[in-house]
Amino acid sequence: MRFDIMTLFPEMMDTIFSQSIIGRARSSGYIEINCYNIRDYSTDKHRKVDDTPYGGGRGMLMAPEPIYNCYAAITESLGYKPYTVYLSPKGRLFDQNTAAQLKEKGHVILLCGHYEGVDERIIEEIVDEEISIGNYVLTGGELPAAVVVDCVSRLVDKVLPADECFTDESIYSGLLEYPQYTRPPIFHGKAVPEVLSSGNHARIAKWRHEQAVRLTLDKRPDLICNNMGTEVDIKPERHEKT
Ligand code: SAM
């Protein structure tokens, strides 16, 4: 999976993408992430990339030319035009399905806006889809791009140790994930549920499924879908104090 990111702040992205699972996936060659500084493609002698909006109003807009020059340099070197996404609060809301669809593209270009956004003509010219990461407005598209890259990358073969790492997870499975525990066995008087140390895998699986359903009904009933699987008897449960 390859991502080409057009941004005014490539250093910001380099920091995020050089750490942890994504950093290791890059080093191992499972994903490729290239960041391009749009400012490098400005023809202005001061490397200017923004201008005032026609019609007046506050703020500055990213001008179309440097973005187009950056896009053209990427696509000309490739010889094809990858699926191009503009991160924007006006876009389709990003979710796990969108991540799976982007992963199927194999290669995407991400355009990060800044200031008041980008000139509309650049969207018409190069963008296949606008994607929003939520109903709020951020100062730039860098964090949204990082969210998209992280989420899509987790679906790429070998980035996580096994498919179960994400198929059992919240949202992906249609349910929220069951509660999890690690050592110590008792923390501040709260014991780890006995079933998890029983060694009985069938009991553990049943308990986890019940917990997942309980949590989902409680916190995100909207996620419960018709083909949820086994029906479960849900009784209230509390951590036993010892
Ligand atoms: N004036 C724009 C509007 O009202 O739609 C908002 C511009 S915002 C301050 C600057 C940039 O941040 C946008 O061009 C976009 O790239 C990014 N951005 C802000 N919020 C976002 C969101 N919820 N999802 C994706 N990108 C976002």
Side-chain angles (χ1 to χ4, degrees):
M1 181 79 209
R2 173 169 167 175
F3 304 92
D4 288 300
I5 304 174
M6 301 192 286
T7 167
L8 290 176
F9 300 95
E11 302 82 8
M12 208 170 145
M13 315 304 283
D14 286 342
T15 306
I16 297 173
F17 296 137
S18 58
Q19 316 284 323
S20 184
I21 294 171
I22 300 300
R24 287 197 294 277
R26 284 179 89 181
S27 314
S28 308
Y30 303 138
I31 58 171
E32 178 180 341
I33 303 172
N34 305 301
C35 294
Y36 304 85
N37 189 341
I38 295 168
R39 204 172 288 282
D40 292 343
Y41 298 87
S42 170
T43 49
D44 178 79
K45 65 176 176 190
H46 301 297
R47 307 208 319 145
K48 197 166 140 65
V49 289
D50 58 345
D51 216 326
T52 51
Y54 275 107
R58 70 203 144 69
M60 300 292 273
L61 266 190
M62 285 173 70
E65 200 185 35
I67 300 174
Y68 187 79
N69 292 345
C70 180
Y71 173 81
I74 299 169
T75 53
E76 276 163 24
S77 71
L78 288 167
Y80 63 92
K81 294 182 174 172
Y83 196 73
T84 299
V85 170
Y86 170 45
L87 285 313
S88 162
K90 297 174 190 162
R92 168 163 74 118
L93 270 187
F94 185 66
D95 62 12
Q96 197 68 51
N97 287 333
T98 321
Q101 287 161 8
L102 292 179
K103 188 214 137 192
E104 289 311 309
K105 306 281 180 203
H107 185 177
V108 289
I109 294 179
L110 299 169
L111 168 61
C112 306
H114 231 85
Y115 316 120
E116 287 307 316
V118 301
D119 187 296
E120 191 66 23
R121 291 164 295 181
I122 201 70
I123 301 175
E124 291 164 10
E125 188 85 10
I126 68 167
V127 171
D128 293 302
E129 182 174 17
E130 292 179 68
I131 289 181
S132 165
I133 62 156
N135 288 325
Y136 40 78
V137 179
L138 300 164
T139 55
E142 286 71 21
L143 292 175
V147 167
V148 169
V149 169
D150 187 293
C151 190
V152 173
S153 296
R154 295 179 87 249
L155 305 179
V156 173
D157 201 24
K158 297 199 180 84
V159 168
L160 297 180
D163 281 359
E164 294 80 55
C165 294
F166 60 84
T167 51
D168 272 0
E169 278 187 326
S170 299
I171 314 296
Y172 195 98
S173 65
L175 296 171
L176 299 182
E177 192 179 54
Y178 45 81
Q180 303 215 64
Y181 303 84
T182 184
R183 274 181 280 274
I186 298 173
F187 174 71
H188 287 199
K190 288 187 164 107
V192 172
E194 170 277 323
V195 60
L196 297 177
S197 317
S198 68
N200 182 330
H201 296 299
R203 265 187 76 207
I204 293 172
K206 182 168 181 288
W207 182 88
R208 285 180 166 166
H209 182 61
E210 287 171 358
Q211 294 295 318
V213 174
R214 186 194 317 277
L215 265 182
T216 312
L217 283 172
D218 188 30
K219 295 185 176 176
R220 292 290 306 276
D222 56 299
L223 290 178
I224 299 279
C225 40
N226 295 334
N227 56 351
M228 193 174 65
T230 334
E231 283 188 14
V232 286
D233 179 21
I234 300 162
K235 302 188 183 76
E237 184 175 299
R238 297 242 172 278
H239 290 290
E240 286 161 27
K241 278 252 184 192
T242 56

